[in-house]
Amino acid sequence: MSQIESTNSTMHKQNYSLMTAILFWCGLVVVSSLYLTIPLISTFAETFNITTAQAAWTGSAFSFFYAVGFLFFGPLSDRYGRKQMIVYGLITLTIVSPILGFVDSLPALTILRSVQGIAAATFAPSALAYAVEMLPLEKRVTTIGFVSTGFLMAGIVGQIFASVVSHQFGWQSVFYTLGGVYMVTVILVVLFIPKEDNPDKKGSFLAPFKQIVLVIKKKKLLSCYVITITLLLAFVGMYTTLGNYLSIEFGLGNREILYVRSVGIVGMLFSPFAGKLVTTFGIQNVLRGGMTLAVVGLAVLGISTNLPFLIIMSVIFVAGISITVPTLISLVGQLGGESRGAAVTLYTFILFIGATLGPIVAVWFLKTGSYLLTFELLALFLGIGLLVSFFIKLTKV
């Protein structure tokens, strides 16, 4: 038995890099669906003869069902297995995505986007819990860093992909192509992602859901969740504001704004190094350091009138967020203990609720007529999260 365990252990060690690469790819292509319709809103409005506000529901429907889906698929992955949930979700995306290219009305498009959102929601809670359970601590934060980088990069890559493909071949081809991408991804996951130990399928079906209630009662986790909601709220809110700011104040066009946003990928490259930083400096120090970078980058960005300097500050802000996200996931998994699956599920739900609120909050702040005030208020949200991080005390067992 020990020899078999040793062989399995060696196999897992040999597969860590491949597992990380595939999980990163999955995070990138799955979450990209969330952002695909942003550059297509005007196209939908023209195609279906509707307003842009109505066309925006193709994004809102996805994001709503995406966030709500986390609450169900996290606990379900506890019961039926992380890999199984990821595979089922990818198969559904493979089937549904090409169908979107055949619809001829907004209601049909919105309904199918909702189904897409539900299917996409299977990945994040399952994959993050999988990483926490299947990888040793020294590899865990790095892998989560790569997966988180995929999530963050999706916000830019998804828009670029949709813009390029729709411009060359029409908006329908965006979804046809996406179906093919998901088919390849299913094959990669089935062949190269090791299956975790069989989950315990006995007991009450509602037991995993009840764990979420227990998780909320843990004060340290509650503090983590306060920090969590500020992250993508500030991230998406900043880019929403930045787009308007660059257009009005600097006279940039859509393509130039996309180039500026693309530079943010440089900041995202710091995310995979969060694991080494945690090993060197400790998880709490890295968490606070990442948040400090983000707060400073965002606050200074707001007072910049020089475009190159503004771009540099945006990279610093993104680097801070990119370091914080995987570090916080690891901390939540650590504090969750036996309920880590439920803890990570709730984290993911709150993280993307923050992403949903980001543009709403940014637009509301922009009604003040001041870009400076909007950036500073978003920085204040992050500052509150930074302050809360100092109240999380870890006890060594």
Side-chain angles (χ1 to χ4, degrees), residues 323-392:
I323 291 169
T324 303
V325 168
T327 305
L328 189 57
I329 296 172
S330 185
L331 181 59
V332 167
Q334 182 178 327
L335 294 173
E338 293 182 356
S339 302
R340 69 171 65 91
V344 171
T345 293
L346 194 56
Y347 164 89
T348 316
F349 169 73
I350 294 171
L351 185 71
F352 284 97
I353 284 294
T356 304
L357 292 175
I360 298 172
V361 171
V363 170
W364 188 56
F365 286 162
L366 282 170
K367 289 181 180 179
T368 62
S370 171
Y371 291 104
L372 170 61
L373 183 60
T374 301
F375 283 126
E376 300 312 316
L377 287 173
L378 289 171
L380 178 62
F381 270 109
L382 274 180
I384 293 171
L386 174 59
L387 181 63
V388 170
S389 71
F390 286 92
F391 292 93
I392 303 174

Side-chain angles (χ1 to χ4, degrees), residues 173-214:
S173 295
V174 172
F175 298 104
Y176 300 153
T177 307
L178 197 62
V181 170
Y182 287 137
M183 182 185 298
V184 172
T185 306
V186 170
I187 295 170
L188 289 175
V189 171
V190 170
L191 294 180
F192 300 111
I193 295 294
K195 185 177 179 181
E196 72 274 24
D197 293 334
N198 290 329
D200 182 10
K201 297 185 179 181
K202 299 178 181 179
S204 170
F205 177 78
L206 296 177
F209 297 92
K210 292 177 181 178
Q211 285 189 358
I212 292 178
V213 178
L214 298 176

Side-chain angles (χ1 to χ4, degrees), residues 242-252 304-305 310 369-371:
L242 187 65
N244 290 321
Y245 186 47
L246 293 172
S247 175
I248 301 300
E249 299 296 327
F250 293 89
L252 301 187
S304 172
T305 56
L310 181 149
S370 171
Y371 291 104

Side-chain angles (χ1 to χ4, degrees), residues 147-162:
V147 176
S148 301
T149 302
F151 293 161
L152 295 171
M153 287 179 65
I156 296 171
V157 173
Q159 293 185 60
I160 295 174
F161 169 77

Side-chain angles (χ1 to χ4, degrees), residues 159-362:
Q159 293 185 60
I160 295 174
F161 169 77
S163 296
V164 172
V165 175
S166 63
H167 179 72
Q168 295 291 328
F169 307 105
W171 69 266
Q172 295 91 343
S173 295
V174 172
F175 298 104
Y176 300 153
T177 307
L178 197 62
V181 170
Y182 287 137
M183 182 185 298
V184 172
T185 306
V186 170
I187 295 170
L188 289 175
V189 171
V190 170
L191 294 180
F192 300 111
I193 295 294
K195 185 177 179 181
E196 72 274 24
D197 293 334
N198 290 329
D200 182 10
K201 297 185 179 181
K202 299 178 181 179
S204 170
F205 177 78
L206 296 177
F209 297 92
K210 292 177 181 178
Q211 285 189 358
I212 292 178
V213 178
L214 298 176
V215 162
I216 295 174
K217 294 180 180 179
K218 296 185 177 183
K219 291 183 179 179
K220 291 178 182 178
L221 280 174
L222 204 55
S223 296
C224 289
Y225 295 143
V226 171
I227 298 170
T228 301
I229 199 165
T230 68
L231 297 179
L232 289 195
L233 188 155
F235 180 80
V236 178
M238 185 280 278
Y239 273 112
T240 301
T241 307
L242 187 65
N244 290 321
Y245 186 47
L246 293 172
S247 175
I248 301 300
E249 299 296 327
F250 293 89
L252 301 187
N254 290 335
R255 180 169 293 184
E256 293 164 313
I257 291 172
L258 201 56
Y259 290 153
V260 173
R261 286 176 171 170
S262 299
V263 176
I265 291 177
V266 174
M268 296 173 188
L269 298 179
F270 285 87
S271 188
F273 298 102
K276 291 190 179 297
L277 291 173
V278 166
T279 302
T280 305
F281 300 105
I283 196 164
Q284 288 176 295
N285 290 329
V286 174
L287 175 66
R288 293 162 188 163
M291 293 205 69
T292 300
L293 271 181
V295 171
V296 171
L298 185 52
V300 176
L301 183 152
I303 62 175
S304 172
T305 56
N306 178 274
L307 185 57
F309 183 70
L310 181 149
I311 294 173
I312 291 171
M313 286 299 104
S314 73
V315 171
I316 290 175
F317 163 74
V318 172
I321 294 291
S322 300
I323 291 169
T324 303
V325 168
T327 305
L328 189 57
I329 296 172
S330 185
L331 181 59
V332 167
Q334 182 178 327
L335 294 173
E338 293 182 356
S339 302
R340 69 171 65 91
V344 171
T345 293
L346 194 56
Y347 164 89
T348 316
F349 169 73
I350 294 171
L351 185 71
F352 284 97
I353 284 294
T356 304
L357 292 175
I360 298 172
V361 171

